[in-house]
């Protein structure tokens, strides 16, 4: 199946990124699931929002209560005008706008058994215990999946009951593990020796199920039913009885098979007394008791504990003690603090737990990924002020009749004012950016005098964004993300001071985001896909000593890193910023996975339809094209493109057929001539072993659909790049193919096929698109002759007025237009190469994902990650200085897994003599001297020597040398007398805004080889 019309109800244009997380079968099951979400405060609306974006069949939102002021601190689809109205009714219309495929109904009456029978999944939030138990009993008896979620201040709970016979079809999000077989013994049990494609361990876990393929010898295992394995060590495992099988000879792949799992769950009533808590510890046990005691307190008092009311906290603790016989396991300080904040409503808590709970709904509906078993507790009490700093009281946390009352109940009114004064920069307005901005609006960040949020994103909204970016609607497609997001959050909270800008952030936009801009900020939030862009922003935060919140997601995985000046390591220290690349020799000659053939096909696309056209156009339009140093391959490509210019559809088909023969037949025969099937690297060591698969040439067949798909796609793109308008007729193409004669194979002589990356680097003219390489460099005489030939050809075309007719159309790969044939070509080209090497083919969707480098994405992960990031924001606004109060986070909702850990301290980056400093250190020098005049370079060097003990030998600004002791005396003296802004001025005659901070690098007279001095920051008097 390829496109949405063949998939019925699934709109691939809308759900494309989510499809790569859940898959088509899970999406179909979602589209058949009716969901009830009860409780329309902040947590309930988060859950509803996420599952509506995911595409369930329908959702009913339920709440018998009316909107209160405290709801507005986390319920983003309510406004001040809704106070006093029913929550479900007031939320229904805004929720319905999220996804036209999902009907949203509001319900306000009691939840009866007959009413519940219409749903496959029921979610309760903000319900009393008696209601929870009643609904849970009904759902368990009627095989309705039941989820309970709740947040109270800075703590939350989640409970799942999916019945006694719930089948998980695909427990894990990860791709199946595979390894290359090296040996299989005959025995009881048989022992398999194997390793992955990089020569590391096999990666299997005890109890995994596996099957085999491409084994030579012991062929009984090829395509066998899944075998359970027992892992012996990182390279060996047992698979059962192989004693009666034929001896193993060589080759083969062992692949993990994901088998369904059966899970059984207890109802809430039975689970309360003996809870199964994810990551069970004393803290989880204490929170379980605290939530139970809270229900008892509310039943007794008719309300929740008042913020910071000591008597209420003691009563809650007393109730908690009465619920356990193990008093020693009860963290009484935790319970007291829980009581103090339990009346609070916080948007970040709702976002985080709402993401987790919504993912459990999707699991319940689809059977995809491992559900929670059965309780999960979470708290972020470290967000409260550090001990000895701010004292919160009943008075400071009392309600004000404000939209922030739910947050004031936790942090107090003074903190709310501090939030309003913040100045933050949000880089990116995609999925994470939208969630961050929504949370910022709810918590009142930059909603007061002097506050500001600047959001920038150069991208426009695409339809595929709508399934996970809650601030955009279908009417917004084509508009700027930043402007649309800013307008949406202003509607959520009209007092939010947000400014939208359409720029990316990088060296070429420092005129917008320079010294003045960054120095005025309180912090930065990254919401970017590119690791390089994130590293650049991190570098700016280091330069200006600004905290950074960095977030990222991939499928159900997400992370949050908080970067605090002088306290934590920077962003680049925690993550590998380099994208792993497949070795070129693997792509070119020795692919072992479908990802390799897809990347090869992607390179082939550019090498056929983009690069040659660009070079031809430069050749025809730029007189200097032939004067610039060009490779033989570039010039031969220009000549070939001019010679191959087609005049008909038949010409295009003929070109595609010859390309097919070259790639899938001739090239493989040349490779097998160099390395025959029985070739050995050394005596007894076969060359074709492990990840090196011995290929087989293909024979063209007009009746093979993949062969014809390649011809049609390649011929169509070839016609397009030559600007030839012809009908793409498959029947006519088949007639042309049957009538044409293909030149027979001729072995290439004097070629070298690199086997390793080292050999690859030694081969001249190494370009991915070329099939084989010559041993010696291109002869200079041949290159000169080719230049002369092309110069004559260009002159002839210009004199004849024909140059414009030879201009070509470079085709840039576009993954999101399913009708352009780009993915069609890549899928066919890749699958043919996979057939050469005995690799299982990829379908259209995987081909699109890999070739388009599409990052799987889903709204649940995005919401959870943004919630965690905003919890760290609270600590930054407080100004926490205890490293232990901050948390970096990694989550994987598919498992579900949450790991929170203390950030690392910054490592030593700079060294001079015996002293070391972190990346946050700099030598700060005022740019104004004693006479209130700007420093000269001599005065700067005097200060560095006299105040900081740095005898300077060389001064650099970027890559420009401003001073060097080895210069001639006259040049040194002239330079030393100049003012600093004169040294770094802009181009002569150009308007140049001088910097506020001049950053200089030094080399000192006594500097050792391993010394690296921190930068010098000179604050200039300009601006």
């Amino acid at each position: 199946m390829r496109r949405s019309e063949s998939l019925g109800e699934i709109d691939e244009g809308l759900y494309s990124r989510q499809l790569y997380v859940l898959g088509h079968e899970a999406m179909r099951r979602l589209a058949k699931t009716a969901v009830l979400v009860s409780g329309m405060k902040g947590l309930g609306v988060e859950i509803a929002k996420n599952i509506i974006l995911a595409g369930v069949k329908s959702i009913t939102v339920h709440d018998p209560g009316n909107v209160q002021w405290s709801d507005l601190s986390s319920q983003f689809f309510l406004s001040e005008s809704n106070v006093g109205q029913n929550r479900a009714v007031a939320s229904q219309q805004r929720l319905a706008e999220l996804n036209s495929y999902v009907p949203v109904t509001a319900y306000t009456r009691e939840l009866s058994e007959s009413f519940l029978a219409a749903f496959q999944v029921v979610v309760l939030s903000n319900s009393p215990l008696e209601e929870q138990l009643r609904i849970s009993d009904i759902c368990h008896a009627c095989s309705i999946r039941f989820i309970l979620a709740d947040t109270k201040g800075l703590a939350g709970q989640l409970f799942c009951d999916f019945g006694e016979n719930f089948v998980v079809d695909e427990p894990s999000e990860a791709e199946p593990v595979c390894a290359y077989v090296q040996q299989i013994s005959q025995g009881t049990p048989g022992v398999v020796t194997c390793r992955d494609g990089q020569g590391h361990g096999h990666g299997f876990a005890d109890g995994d199920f596996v099957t085999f393929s491409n084994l030579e010898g012991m062929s009984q295992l090829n395509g066998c039913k899944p075998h359970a394995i027992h892992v012996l060590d990182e390279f060996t495992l047992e698979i059962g009885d192989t004693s009666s099988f034929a001896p193993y000879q060589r080759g083969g792949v062992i692949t993990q098979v994901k088998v369904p799992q059966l899970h059984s769950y207890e109802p809430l009533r039975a689970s309360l007394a003996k809870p199964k808590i994810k990551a069970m510890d004393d803290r989880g046990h204490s929170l379980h008791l605290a939530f139970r005691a809270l229900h008892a307190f509310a039943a007794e008092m008719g309300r929740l504990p008042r913020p910071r009311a000591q008597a209420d906290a003691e009563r809650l603790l007393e109730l908690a003690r009465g619920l356990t016989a193990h008093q020693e396991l009860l963290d009484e300080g935790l319970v007291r603090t829980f009581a103090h904040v339990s009346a609070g409503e916080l948007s970040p808590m709702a976002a985080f737990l709402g993401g987790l709970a919504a993912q459990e709904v999707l699991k319940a509906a689809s059977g995809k990924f491992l559900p929670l078993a059965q309780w999960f507790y979470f708290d972020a009490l470290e967000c409260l002020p550090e001990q000895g700093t701010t004292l919160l009281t009943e008075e400071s946390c009392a309600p004000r009749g404000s939209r922030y009352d739910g947050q004031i109940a936790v942090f107090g009114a003074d903190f709310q004012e501090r939030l309003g004064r913040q100045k933050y920069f949000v880089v990116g307005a995609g999925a994470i950016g939208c969630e961050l901005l929504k949370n910022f609006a709810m918590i009142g960040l930059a909603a007061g005098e002097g506050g500001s949020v600047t959001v920038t994103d150069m991208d426009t909204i695409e339809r595929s964004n709508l399934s996970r970016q809650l601030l955009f609607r279908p009417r917004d497609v084509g508009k700027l993300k930043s402007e649309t997001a800013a307008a949406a959050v202003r509607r959520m909270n009209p007092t939010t001071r947000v400014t939208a800008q359409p720029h990316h952030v990088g060296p070429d936009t420092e005129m917008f985001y320079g010294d003045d801009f960054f120095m005025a900020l309180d912090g930065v939030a990254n919401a970017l896909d590119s690791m390089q862009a994130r590293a650049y922003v991190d570098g700016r935060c280091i330069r200006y000593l600004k905290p950074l919140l960095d977030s990222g997601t991939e499928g159900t995985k997400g992370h949050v890193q908080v970067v605090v000046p002088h306290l934590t390591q920077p962003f680049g220290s925690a993550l590998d910023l380099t994208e792993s690349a497949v070795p070129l020799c693997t792509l070119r000659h020795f692919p072992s996975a479908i990802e390799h053939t897809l990347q090869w096909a992607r390179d082939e696309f550019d090498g056929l339809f983009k690069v040659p056209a660009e070079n031809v156009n430069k050749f025809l339009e730029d007189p200097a094209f032939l004067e610039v140093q060009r490779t033989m391959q570039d010039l031969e490509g220009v000549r070939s493109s001019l010679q191959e210019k087609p005049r008909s559809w038949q010409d295009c088909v003929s070109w595609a057929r010859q390309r097919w023969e070259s790639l899938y037949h001739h090239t493989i025969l040349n490779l097998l001539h160099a390395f025959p099937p029985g070739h050995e690297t050394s005596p007894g060591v076969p060359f074709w072993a492990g990840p090196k698969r011995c290929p087989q040439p293909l024979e063209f067949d007009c009746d093979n659909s993949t062969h014809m798909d390649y011809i049609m796609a390649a011929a169509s793109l070839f016609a397009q790049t030559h600007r030839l308008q012809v009908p793409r007729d498959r029947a006519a193409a088949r007639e042309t193919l049957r009538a044409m004669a293909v030149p027979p194979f001729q072995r290439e002589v004097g070629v070298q096929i690199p086997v390793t990356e080292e050999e690859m680097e030694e081969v001249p003219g190494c370009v991915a698109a070329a099939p084989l390489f010559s041993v010696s460099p291109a002869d200079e005489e041949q290159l000169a002759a080719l230049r002369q030939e092309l110069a004559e050809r260009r002159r002839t075309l210009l004199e004849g007025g024909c140059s414009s007719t030879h201009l070509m159309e470079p085709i840039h790969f576009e993954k999101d237009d399913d009708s352009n044939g780009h993915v069609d070509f890549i899928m066919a080209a890749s699958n043919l190469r996979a057939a050469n090497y005995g690799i299982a083919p990829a379908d259209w969707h995987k081909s699109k994902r890999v070739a388009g480098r599409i990052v799987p994405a889903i709204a649940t992960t995005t919401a959870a990650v943004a919630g965690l990031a905003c919890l760290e924001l609270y600590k930054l606004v407080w100004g926490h200085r205890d490293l232990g109060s901050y948390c970096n986070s990694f989550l994987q909702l598919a498992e579900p897994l949450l790991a929170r850990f203390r950030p690392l301290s910054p490592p030593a980056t700079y060294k001079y003599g015996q002293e070391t400093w972190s990346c946050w250190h700099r030598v700060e020098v005022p740019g104004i001297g004693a006479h209130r005049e700007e420093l000269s370079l001599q005065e700067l060097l005097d200060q560095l020597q006299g105040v900081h003990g740095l005898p300077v030998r060389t001064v650099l600004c970027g890559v420009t040398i401003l001073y060097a002791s080895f210069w001639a005396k006259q040049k040194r003296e002239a330079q030393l007398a100049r003012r600093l802004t004169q040294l770094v001025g802009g181009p002569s005659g150009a308007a140049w805004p001088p910097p506020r901070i001049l950053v200089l690098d030094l080399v000192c007279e006594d500097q050792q080889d391993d010394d690296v001095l921190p930068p010098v920051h000179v604050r200039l008097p300009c601006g």
Side-chain angles (χ1 to χ4, degrees):
M1 291 176 294
R2 179 182 141 190
R3 306 213 174 92
S4 57
E5 57 263 28
S6 64
L7 294 170
E9 72 277 9
I10 300 177
D11 183 340
E12 294 190 29
L14 178 64
Y15 297 118
S16 62
R17 303 310 187 259
Q18 181 175 294
L19 273 166
Y20 291 120
V21 181
L22 298 180
H24 288 92
E25 183 55 35
M27 285 290 294
R28 290 191 190 94
R29 292 181 181 180
L30 286 187
K32 298 176 182 178
T33 301
V35 182
L36 169 70
V37 179
S38 177
M40 277 294 104
K41 290 194 170 190
L43 177 58
V45 78
E46 281 281 358
I47 298 169
K49 173 259 293 181
N50 291 331
I51 60 179
I52 290 170
L53 291 174
V56 295
K57 176 184 177 181
S58 66
I59 182 169
T60 298
V61 293
H62 167 259
D63 199 316
N66 294 334
V67 179
Q68 302 172 1
W69 279 106
S70 60
D71 298 336
L72 304 185
S73 61
S74 59
Q75 222 285 24
F76 47 84
F77 281 160
L78 297 176
S79 64
E80 295 180 7
S81 63
N82 296 128
V83 173
Q85 300 174 6
N86 178 269
R87 292 191 193 97
V89 173
S91 306
Q92 182 270 333
Q93 181 178 350
R94 300 287 299 280
L95 285 168
E97 293 175 354
L98 290 170
N99 191 339
S100 61
Y101 289 110
V102 182
V104 180
T105 305
Y107 187 74
T108 62
R109 300 168 61 186
E110 181 180 346
L111 299 177
S112 64
E113 182 172 350
S114 60
F115 181 76
L116 294 172
F119 302 98
Q120 286 76 52
V121 183
V122 169
V123 184
L124 291 189
S125 68
N126 193 42
S127 301
L129 181 60
E130 294 76 11
E131 178 78 346
Q132 294 173 2
L133 292 170
R134 183 180 72 85
I135 301 299
S136 169
D137 289 343
I138 294 172
C139 289
H140 193 84
C142 298
S143 298
I144 301 170
R145 286 70 162 123
F146 173 79
I147 296 170
L148 166 65
D150 207 356
T151 61
K152 299 298 180 187
L154 284 164
Q157 68 174 176
L158 182 61
F159 171 80
C160 294
D161 168 19
F162 294 174
E164 297 175 7
N165 296 286
F166 183 76
V167 177
V168 180
D169 292 298
E170 194 170 338
S172 170
E173 182 180 21
E175 291 289 324
V177 177
C178 71
Y180 299 96
V181 177
Q182 294 180 308
Q183 184 58 252
I184 307 177
S185 68
Q186 290 176 296
T188 308
V191 176
V192 180
T193 303
C194 53
R195 58 184 65 213
D196 69 7
Q198 286 72 48
H200 305 139
H202 50 63
F204 293 103
D206 214 36
D208 280 350
F209 285 80
V210 301
T211 189
F212 295 83
S213 59
N214 300 114
L215 295 174
E216 294 186 29
M218 207 167 282
S219 59
Q220 295 91 335
L221 288 175
N222 283 329
C224 65
K225 292 182 179 179
H227 281 261
I229 62 170
H230 171 58
V231 172
L232 297 176
D233 59 35
E234 61 177 326
F235 296 105
T236 60
L237 51 88
E238 295 176 344
I239 58 166
D241 187 0
T242 61
S243 58
S244 62
F245 294 167
Y248 171 80
Q249 295 177 16
R250 66 177 184 181
V253 178
I254 176 173
T255 304
Q256 179 189 21
V257 178
K258 296 184 180 181
V259 297
Q261 298 177 1
L262 183 64
H263 291 258
S264 180
Y265 296 86
E266 292 183 337
L268 178 63
R269 194 178 299 275
S271 186
L272 272 177
K274 294 183 179 180
K276 299 175 184 175
I277 301 178
K278 179 79 173 177
M280 178 63 166
D281 55 17
D282 291 350
R283 196 170 189 87
H285 176 77
S286 296
L287 286 170
H288 182 73
L289 294 173
F291 269 91
R292 289 185 63 190
L294 189 66
H295 285 295
F297 183 99
E300 178 183 288
M301 306 294 290
R303 59 174 175 82
L304 295 174
R306 295 188 179 92
R308 298 289 157 180
Q310 295 300 325
D312 285 359
E314 291 304 320
R315 178 55 184 155
L316 185 76
L317 176 58
E318 184 180 353
L319 291 168
R321 290 180 183 137
L323 293 170
T324 180
H326 300 285
Q327 300 289 326
E328 72 281 0
L329 300 179
L330 184 64
D331 185 335
E332 297 190 352
L334 173 65
V335 175
R336 287 192 183 94
T337 306
F338 171 81
H340 289 323
V341 302
S342 60
E345 295 277 348
L346 300 178
S347 175
M349 288 295 298
F352 169 67
L353 206 70
L356 267 66
Q359 189 67 51
E360 297 304 308
V361 173
L362 303 187
K363 294 174 186 178
S366 68
K368 181 89 174 223
F369 305 143
L370 195 64
L372 175 66
Q374 287 187 258
W375 290 92
F376 171 79
Y377 282 95
F378 173 83
D379 77 89
L381 296 175
E382 75 279 357
C383 293
L384 293 169
E386 291 180 308
Q387 192 170 3
T389 56
T390 300
L391 179 64
L392 298 176
T393 64
E394 285 190 65
E395 181 180 358
S396 65
C397 297
R400 264 71 171 164
S402 156
R403 66 173 298 130
Y404 307 114
D405 278 353
Q407 189 165 255
I408 291 171
V410 178
F411 297 120
D414 290 345
F415 181 75
Q416 191 61 52
E417 292 183 7
R418 190 183 303 188
L419 279 169
R421 295 192 295 268
Q422 294 294 299
K423 297 180 177 67
Y424 258 75
F425 185 30
V426 179
V427 189
I432 294 177
C434 284
E435 290 286 342
L436 288 173
L437 289 168
K438 175 260 295 178
N439 292 345
F440 287 177
M442 291 298 96
I443 68 177
L445 189 80
E449 191 68 32
S452 68
V453 170
T454 301
V455 55
T456 188
D457 197 313
M458 65 185 293
D459 289 343
T460 56
I461 298 165
E462 299 176 359
R463 189 161 178 270
S464 62
N465 301 146
L466 303 180
S467 67
R468 63 193 188 282
Q469 299 178 13
L470 84 154
L471 300 182
F472 307 147
R473 301 292 178 269
R475 61 180 176 272
D476 299 321
V477 171
K479 298 178 182 177
L480 278 170
K481 288 184 175 181
S482 56
E483 293 180 358
T484 307
V489 296
R490 288 191 205 102
R491 290 192 292 271
M492 289 180 171
N493 183 351
T495 63
T496 298
R497 300 166 186 259
V498 57
T499 301
Q501 296 185 352
H503 313 299
H504 81 101
V505 180
D508 56 340
T509 55
E510 289 179 6
M511 72 287 289
F512 302 112
Y513 310 118
D515 293 345
D516 289 335
F517 179 82
F518 270 95
M519 288 169 64
L521 295 175
D522 292 298
V524 179
N526 261 351
L528 295 163
D529 292 333
S530 164
M531 298 296 279
Q532 286 70 31
R534 290 156 75 177
Y536 172 81
V537 174
D538 176 69
R540 304 301 281 176
C541 290
I542 292 173
R543 174 171 176 151
Y544 298 105
L545 298 179
K546 300 300 177 183
L548 170 68
L549 294 167
D550 185 85
S551 311
T553 70
E554 181 179 356
T556 71
K557 297 188 289 291
H559 85 271
V560 173
Q561 183 184 354
V562 57
V563 177
V564 187
H566 299 296
L567 200 61
T568 74
Q569 65 179 9
F571 166 77
S573 299
L575 296 172
D576 181 6
L577 302 183
T578 61
E579 297 182 5
S580 58
V582 179
L584 195 56
C585 60
T586 298
L587 291 178
R588 290 272 313 284
H589 305 299
F590 310 113
S592 59
I594 194 65
E595 288 77 11
H596 300 161
T597 66
L598 284 165
Q599 181 58 55
W600 173 88
R602 178 68 179 81
D603 294 339
E604 180 80 357
F605 182 96
D606 284 349
L608 293 177
F609 309 121
K610 176 177 172 284
V611 176
E614 290 175 338
N615 285 337
V616 166
N617 292 351
K618 290 176 186 175
F619 163 75
L620 293 172
E621 297 176 330
D622 183 2
F625 177 82
L626 292 174
E627 299 173 11
V628 179
Q629 184 67 33
R630 302 285 178 185
T631 66
M632 178 69 80
Q633 185 178 17
D634 282 343
L635 298 183
E636 286 179 341
V638 171
R639 179 171 64 181
S640 296
S641 294
L642 294 172
Q643 291 173 344
E644 293 171 343
K645 183 174 178 61
R647 290 176 171 78
S648 66
W649 174 238
Q650 288 74 17
D651 288 348
C652 297
V653 171
S654 177
W655 173 87
R657 174 66 181 89
Q658 293 183 62
R659 188 69 186 174
W660 190 103
E661 194 74 11
S662 172
L663 293 175
Y664 306 112
H665 189 80
H666 294 354
T667 298
I668 300 301
L669 288 175
N670 275 313
L671 182 60
L672 290 173
H673 177 79
F675 305 109
H679 184 70
E680 294 183 341
T681 55
S682 60
V685 180
F687 177 84
W688 296 107
K692 284 192 177 71
R693 294 169 174 255
C694 185
Q696 297 295 323
L698 303 183
E699 299 293 337
F700 186 78
D701 180 1
C702 284
D703 295 323
N704 184 300
S705 61
T706 305
H707 295 196
M708 281 303 298
D709 288 345
Y710 176 89
I711 298 296
M712 291 299 298
S716 296
L717 292 168
F718 188 67
Q720 180 183 340
T721 197
H722 281 280
R723 305 195 300 176
L724 179 64
Q725 299 296 322
V726 290
R728 273 67 163 169
D729 190 319
R730 196 177 185 99
R734 188 175 276 108
E735 288 181 12
T736 299
L737 292 168
R738 287 183 171 137
M740 71 179 290
V742 178
F745 169 71
Q746 291 185 342
R747 182 169 64 84
E748 296 190 33
V749 180
V751 297
Q752 174 191 357
I753 300 178
V755 175
T756 66
E757 284 298 277
E758 292 74 17
E759 292 180 10
M760 206 77 176
E761 293 171 1
E762 295 172 1
V763 175
C766 175
V767 179
L772 295 170
F773 305 124
S774 172
V775 174
S776 59
D779 184 85
E780 285 297 328
E781 292 183 6
Q782 288 183 338
L783 191 58
L786 182 54
R787 286 179 184 275
Q788 181 65 31
E789 177 189 336
L790 288 173
E792 292 292 336
R793 181 69 182 270
R794 185 174 185 276
R795 187 162 36 251
T796 301
L797 290 172
L798 290 174
E799 290 173 355
C802 300
S803 62
S804 62
T805 64
H806 284 75
L807 287 172
M808 298 176 66
E809 178 185 336
I811 302 176
H812 297 268
F813 178 73
E814 172 51 58
K815 62 183 181 294
D816 287 323
D817 180 358
D818 292 352
S819 65
N820 61 19
H822 298 185
V823 177
D824 295 343
F825 171 82
I826 284 172
M827 180 179 71
S830 169
N831 285 343
L832 288 168
R833 187 162 175 83
N836 280 137
Y837 286 88
I839 299 169
D843 63 15
W844 194 85
H845 303 282
K846 182 165 186 175
S847 301
K848 177 179 177 177
R849 177 175 67 81
V850 176
R853 297 182 176 90
I854 295 173
V855 178
I858 192 168
T860 51
T861 314
T862 306
V865 159
L868 290 170
C870 289
L871 291 174
E872 299 307 305
L873 174 66
Y874 284 143
K875 304 168 193 178
L876 293 173
V877 175
W878 277 120
H880 282 193
R881 299 310 304 163
D882 179 6
L883 181 64
S885 76
Y886 289 98
C887 291
N888 290 341
S889 300
F890 172 80
L891 60 84
Q892 188 165 11
L893 300 186
E895 297 208 2
L897 169 70
L898 171 66
R900 303 181 79 212
F901 43 92
R902 187 175 78 170
L904 296 177
S905 299
T909 303
Y910 303 115
K911 175 182 176 294
Y912 181 57
Q914 300 302 311
E915 193 168 359
T916 60
W917 302 273
S918 79
C919 65
W920 297 105
H921 188 77
R922 70 278 319 276
V923 177
E924 295 186 336
V925 178
I928 302 177
H931 301 292
R932 308 302 299 168
E933 292 183 348
E934 181 189 328
L935 293 181
S936 67
L937 180 57
Q938 179 66 67
E939 290 171 325
L940 173 64
L941 297 189
D942 291 343
Q943 280 207 36
L944 291 171
Q945 171 79 65
V947 178
H948 301 282
L950 298 173
V952 177
R953 184 172 67 201
T954 307
V955 180
L956 299 97
C957 182
V959 296
T960 303
I961 299 177
L962 302 184
Y963 170 80
S965 60
F966 57 79
W967 285 350
K969 181 180 179 181
Q970 185 177 1
K971 182 177 181 179
R972 291 201 314 270
E973 290 177 349
Q975 195 77 341
L976 288 169
R978 300 177 71 186
R979 300 294 177 187
L980 295 178
T981 52
Q982 294 174 327
L983 294 174
V984 294
S988 177
W992 176 72
R996 290 284 303 275
I997 297 175
L998 182 61
V999 181
L1000 304 174
D1001 293 309
L1002 307 179
V1003 179
C1004 288
E1005 295 290 352
D1006 56 349
Q1007 188 168 327
Q1008 302 299 311
D1009 290 342
D1010 62 342
D1011 285 347
V1012 180
L1013 287 164
V1016 174
H1017 282 224
V1018 184
R1019 183 163 299 215
L1020 298 174
C1022 47

